[in-house]
């Protein structure tokens, strides 16, 4: 795991791109607008004026975003990342990438920022080098996990809103919905390992 104290760079420097927006532009724009309005629910479907259109994003599990799409949404919501810049390539282990991050993970991070009113800084994303077991369905590589820089505000919010399920060295909390976990927080040294199911 990389050092969580690396220098933050503005997201505008982190994701320059000469490529045009992909087919999902309309739905991503709707997700961005909803995030800015403060009404983004953790796992609500993305509404689209034309659900059958080619640029729509379905709400099925497995919907993944590009680095640029995710960065636009998270940056506007106030979620920052540790990054030396140009993180579209997940093979650059020193660059916090959002490439291929799950849409539900992005929704969850926006909700966490909004509900906690804490600083939320992503220190590890989908880039290589974060998973002990890359074959796991709920891995960094598959876009379900991120590591956040730990701060007292976030830890207190998690303790207030999630159930402690286990922990001696690393403390684990879970939020549940209908008896199944939908987000798990693992408090490690200076890092919060967050998994969205």
């Amino acid at each position: 795991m990389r050092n969580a104290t690396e220098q933050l760079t503005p997201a505008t420097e982190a994701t320059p791109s000469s490529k045009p927006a992909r087919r999902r532009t309309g739905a991503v724009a709707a997700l961005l607008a909803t995030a800015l309005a403060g009404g983004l629910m953790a796992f609500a479907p993305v509404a689209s004026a034309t659900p059958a259109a080619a640029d729509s994003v379905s709400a099925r599990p497995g919907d993944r975003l590009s680095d640029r799409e995710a960065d636009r949404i998270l940056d506007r919501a106030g979620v920052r990342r540790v990054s030396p810049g140009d993180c579209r390539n997940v093979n650059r282990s020193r660059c916090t990438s959002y490439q291929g991050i799950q849409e539900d993970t992005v929704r969850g991070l926006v909700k966490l920022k909004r509900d906690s009113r804490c600083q939320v800084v992503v220190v590890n994303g989908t880039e290589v080098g974060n998973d002990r077991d890359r074959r796991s369905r709920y891995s960094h590589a598959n876009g379900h996990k991120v590591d956040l820089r730990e701060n007292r505000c976030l830890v207190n919010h998690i303790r207030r809103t999630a159930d402690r399920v286990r922990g001696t060295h690393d403390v684990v909390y879970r939020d549940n919905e209908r008896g199944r976990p939908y987000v798990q927080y693992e408090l490690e040294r200076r890092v919060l390992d967050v998994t969205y199911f």
Side-chain angles (χ1 to χ4, degrees):
M1 198 173 292
R2 295 195 313 275
N3 186 345
T5 60
E6 292 180 48
Q7 183 177 1
L8 274 175
T9 58
T12 52
E13 294 175 15
T15 57
S17 175
S18 57
K19 292 184 180 179
R22 296 187 313 166
R23 291 184 301 167
R24 294 183 291 194
T25 304
V28 171
L31 180 61
L32 178 59
T34 308
L36 291 174
L40 187 61
M41 300 304 293
F43 296 94
V46 176
S48 173
T50 55
D55 67 348
S56 66
V57 177
S58 72
R60 293 188 312 266
D63 287 337
R64 299 172 83 163
L65 302 177
S66 71
D67 183 86
R68 186 175 186 179
E69 290 167 335
D71 184 64
R72 283 179 58 217
I73 295 162
L74 293 172
D75 185 60
R76 295 277 177 94
V79 177
R80 304 291 179 243
R81 67 171 155 179
V82 172
S83 169
D86 192 8
C87 296
R88 289 168 289 170
N89 185 348
V90 296
N91 294 313
R92 296 181 65 199
S93 62
R94 303 284 297 169
C95 198
T96 302
S97 180
Y98 296 144
Q99 187 66 37
I101 195 169
Q102 296 285 334
E103 188 178 320
D104 283 346
T105 302
V106 171
R107 291 171 188 269
L109 288 169
V110 172
K111 184 178 188 299
L112 177 64
K113 172 65 179 174
R114 186 192 68 215
D115 292 352
S116 70
R117 298 183 181 185
C118 300
Q119 183 183 56
V120 177
V121 178
V122 181
V123 295
N124 293 311
T126 57
E127 70 279 359
V128 298
N130 296 317
D131 292 310
R132 285 170 237 156
D133 183 6
R134 290 177 62 87
R135 295 170 297 175
S136 169
R137 178 178 176 185
Y138 300 107
S139 65
H140 283 272
N142 288 332
H144 289 277
K145 293 183 81 158
V146 293
D147 293 336
L148 305 179
R149 181 177 288 159
E150 182 182 319
N151 63 62
R152 185 175 295 174
C153 179
L154 267 180
V155 171
N156 288 340
H157 172 77
I158 291 164
R159 287 178 175 156
R160 281 194 314 269
T161 60
D163 297 322
R164 183 172 175 156
V165 292
R166 70 173 193 271
T168 51
H169 300 294
D170 294 342
V171 183
V172 178
Y173 291 85
R174 272 194 194 143
D175 276 350
N176 296 295
E177 187 174 74
R178 298 190 186 99
R180 299 184 60 189
Y182 64 86
V183 61
Q184 176 174 290
Y185 305 97
E186 189 167 348
L187 280 63
E188 301 171 345
R189 294 180 195 172
R190 296 181 298 174
V191 171
L192 296 172
D193 186 295
V194 185
T195 307
Y196 291 94
F197 295 92

